[in-house]
């Protein structure tokens, strides 16, 4: 898998990651899926082996390694043993939540929060989505008003990953009258008025807990605001390239692993006196998948290098996100068909991927939103009405 992307240090890290998954994740994963929750005891183990919070600086208990290729290895090794829910959770923390805590916090906030996260003893979630505001962040209705040395927070959030187990939650709230006037507040376990709703029963990704959250006059200290007051929307936008690359990486690596297990199955499963792979239609389907995966891999490699060079644009990340997630969904569907009845049995990794893959085209921005972002960046076209029409298209 993708050996040309890595050097010897990465491959040593791969051995550590592979051993961790085999020892500390695979034996428990089915229990987690049945129980609809990941055992919190695994996070300190992951942190100890540099698999959780790798980029947290050494001063706060982490390793301080900022090289996305290490995250790619975690994605690959998780996909190899089909532990998708756990990988999505790691991606949520390392590629989403941690970015805000590293980039937007003060030294005092870092000292207060990062050591517990670096050790895996504390879990942090991100709460943006609301019942009436999904991809459209400007539709957020949760509010926070200043009251002396605190903010009074009211509202609700839904589809919040790690919402039931998080010790702290970064909440996006409207703090002014402007359409884009938002701020980010950290709500911590035990704050009065912070209520966790039901754990949502999802189609797939069962052990990756997702919940509703409610805030009823929660008094959030002013020292728990991260970034600049009123700049929450721009703060939320800055991390989108990495968040979308994360989904692309998870989607690609999962699709690749499902393809590999399906190719192996097609070589050993007989029909009409010969292996499935010797049936021309099956061979052609596998050839199509192999080609699409190689093309996606090349784009993903380029995106990883761009991210590490701080040059990955939101548009390029959007391209990778929608294409890889749709490829994942499409690949799994074709692989289920090749497996036949066995592909519909829940114990089959292909069946599990069938239900886990569907959300990848929705979270971190739907496929349609990704295409809208890309479309707005297309070169100007000559249309009737001249500049006014072009301006209208961009609005």
């Amino acid at each position: 898998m993708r050996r040309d992307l890595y050097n010897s240090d990465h491959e040593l890290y791969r051995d550590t990651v592979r051993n961790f998954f085999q020892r500390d994740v695979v034996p428990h994963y089915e229990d987690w899926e049945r129980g609809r929750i990941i055992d919190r005891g695994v996070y300190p183990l992951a942190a100890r082996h540099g698999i959780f919070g790798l980029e947290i600086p050494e001063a706060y208990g982490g390793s301080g390694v900022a090289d996305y290729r290490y995250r790619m290895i975690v994605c690959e090794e998780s996909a190899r043993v089909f532990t998708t829910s756990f990988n999505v959770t790691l991606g949520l923390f390392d590629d989403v939540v941690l970015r805000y805590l590293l980039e937007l916090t003060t030294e005092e906030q870092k000292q207060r929060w990062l050591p517990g996260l670096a050790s895996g003893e504390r879990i942090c979630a991100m709460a943006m989505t609301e019942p009436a505001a999904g991809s459209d962040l400007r539709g957020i209705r949760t509010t926070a008003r200043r009251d002396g040395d605190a903010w009074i927070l009211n509202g609700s959030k839904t589809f919040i990953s790690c919402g039931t187990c998080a010790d702290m939650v970064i909440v996006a709230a409207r703090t002014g009258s402007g359409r884009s006037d938002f701020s980010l507040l950290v709500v911590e376990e035990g704050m009065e008025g912070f209520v966790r709703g039901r754990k949502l029963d999802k189609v797939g990704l069962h052990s990756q807990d997702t919940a509703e959250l409610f805030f009823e006059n929660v008094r959030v200290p002013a020292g728990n605001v991260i970034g600049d007051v009123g700049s929450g929307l721009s703060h939320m936008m800055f991390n989108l390239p990495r968040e979308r690359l994360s989904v692309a990486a998870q989607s690609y690596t999962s699709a690749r692993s499902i393809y590999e297990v399906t190719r192996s199955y097609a070589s050993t499963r007989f029909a009409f006196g010969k292996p499935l792979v010797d049936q021309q239609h099956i061979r052609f389907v596998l050839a199509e998948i192999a080609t699409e995966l190689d093309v996606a891999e090349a784009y993903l490699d380029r995106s990883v290098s761009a991210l590490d060079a701080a040059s990955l644009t939101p548009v390029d990340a959007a391209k990778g996100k929608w294409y890889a997630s749709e490829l994942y969904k499409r690949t799994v569907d074709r692989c289920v068909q090749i497996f036949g009845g066995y592909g519909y049995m829940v114990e089959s990794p292909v069946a599990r991927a069938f239900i886990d893959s569907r959300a990848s085209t929705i979270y971190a921005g739907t496929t349609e939103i990704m295409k809208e972002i890309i479309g707005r960046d297309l070169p100007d076209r000559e249309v009737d009405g001249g500049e006014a029409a072009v301006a209208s298209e961009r609005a």
Side-chain angles (χ1 to χ4, degrees):
M1 254 192 193
R2 307 163 59 79
R3 299 291 175 176
D4 57 329
L5 187 64
Y6 308 113
N7 60 35
S8 58
D9 288 339
H10 296 112
E11 296 306 333
L12 287 173
Y13 180 72
R14 183 188 301 280
D15 291 339
T16 298
V17 175
R18 183 170 295 182
N19 290 334
F20 165 77
F21 273 96
Q22 290 291 354
R23 182 184 60 249
D24 298 315
V25 179
V26 172
H28 312 291
Y29 189 71
E30 291 304 320
D31 290 337
W32 298 347
E33 286 285 288
R34 284 190 293 268
R36 300 298 203 263
I37 193 75
I38 294 169
D39 186 343
R40 286 192 57 143
V42 75
Y43 297 116
L45 295 174
R48 193 177 308 157
H49 291 91
I51 296 164
F52 183 83
L54 186 64
E55 290 191 44
I56 296 177
E58 293 183 15
Y60 311 107
S63 299
V65 177
D67 179 345
Y68 200 79
R69 289 173 293 181
Y70 289 102
R71 271 290 301 140
M72 283 300 308
I73 288 172
V74 173
C75 288
E76 290 173 358
E77 293 305 311
S78 178
R80 193 178 64 85
V81 291
F82 312 111
T83 54
T84 309
S85 293
F86 185 60
N87 189 35
V88 169
T89 303
L90 292 177
L92 169 72
F93 181 75
D94 277 4
D95 294 330
V96 183
V97 171
L98 187 56
R99 313 318 311 160
Y100 293 94
L101 297 178
L102 291 178
E103 300 292 336
L104 299 176
T105 51
T106 65
E107 179 60 28
E108 185 276 332
Q109 291 171 329
K110 288 182 171 68
Q111 294 283 355
R112 187 153 39 108
W113 294 322
L114 290 182
L117 297 170
S119 69
E121 299 297 332
R122 300 193 78 189
I123 304 298
C124 184
M126 186 78 198
M128 295 185 188
T129 304
E130 298 183 2
S135 297
D136 180 12
L137 295 177
R138 288 183 174 85
I140 287 175
R141 296 179 180 176
T142 295
T143 63
R145 61 175 178 81
R146 190 66 187 257
D147 182 37
D149 61 353
W151 291 85
I152 307 303
L153 180 67
N154 281 283
S156 64
K157 301 289 182 177
T158 193
F159 308 141
I160 305 307
S161 298
C162 294
T164 61
C165 69
D167 304 284
M168 46 192 287
V169 182
I170 302 172
V171 180
R174 186 176 292 279
T175 51
S177 58
R179 191 163 181 261
S180 300
D181 196 348
F182 300 99
S183 301
L184 302 177
L185 301 85
V186 175
V187 176
E188 299 184 70
E189 176 69 21
M191 287 184 175
E192 187 176 352
F194 174 31
V195 179
R196 301 176 198 267
R198 62 193 176 100
K199 183 166 63 174
L200 301 174
D201 191 10
K202 298 180 294 185
V203 171
L205 299 173
H206 290 150
S207 58
Q208 204 287 304
D209 66 294
T210 304
E212 298 172 322
L213 301 178
F214 300 94
F215 310 97
E216 303 170 358
N217 292 317
V218 180
R219 191 173 183 86
V220 182
N224 277 31
V225 174
I226 62 173
D228 298 324
V229 173
S231 298
L233 187 61
S234 62
H235 292 331
M236 287 185 279
M237 300 298 286
F238 90 92
N239 189 51
L240 291 179
R242 177 158 179 157
E243 181 179 354
R244 287 164 181 166
L245 176 61
S246 179
V247 178
Q250 294 166 27
S251 297
Y252 162 77
T253 55
S254 295
R256 173 70 76 176
S257 289
I258 292 301
Y259 163 73
E260 296 293 349
V261 75
T262 303
R263 186 182 64 173
S264 177
Y265 176 82
S267 298
T268 57
R269 173 72 171 174
F270 278 69
F272 305 105
K274 56 183 179 180
L276 286 179
V277 75
D278 286 344
Q279 312 286 343
Q280 187 184 66
H281 174 74
I282 300 298
R283 192 164 63 249
F284 279 11
V285 170
L286 292 173
E288 290 174 0
I289 297 173
T291 302
E292 291 171 339
L293 287 171
D294 285 352
V295 171
E297 179 182 287
Y299 190 88
L300 189 56
D301 280 353
R302 192 179 77 176
S303 297
V304 168
S305 297
L307 182 77
D308 283 339
S311 61
L312 181 63
T313 68
V315 171
D316 287 344
K319 291 176 181 176
K321 194 275 179 184
W322 87 257
Y323 184 82
S325 60
E326 291 288 348
L327 175 59
Y328 180 23
K329 185 175 67 174
R330 190 167 65 250
T331 296
V332 169
D333 187 66
R334 288 177 288 180
C335 289
V336 168
Q337 193 71 16
I338 292 173
F339 266 83
Y342 292 110
Y344 204 61
M345 299 297 104
V346 174
E347 64 266 22
S348 163
V350 177
R352 179 69 60 77
F354 185 74
I355 58 176
D356 285 346
S357 63
R358 189 61 186 86
S360 64
T361 63
I362 299 173
Y363 55 56
T366 64
T367 293
E368 292 74 20
I369 292 294
M370 297 301 99
K371 291 179 179 179
E372 179 67 16
I373 292 168
I374 298 162
R376 289 180 178 180
D377 192 60
L378 295 176
D380 292 346
R381 295 161 295 162
E382 289 190 12
V383 294
D384 292 339
E387 293 182 2
V390 173
S392 177
E393 285 185 352
R394 287 174 169 172

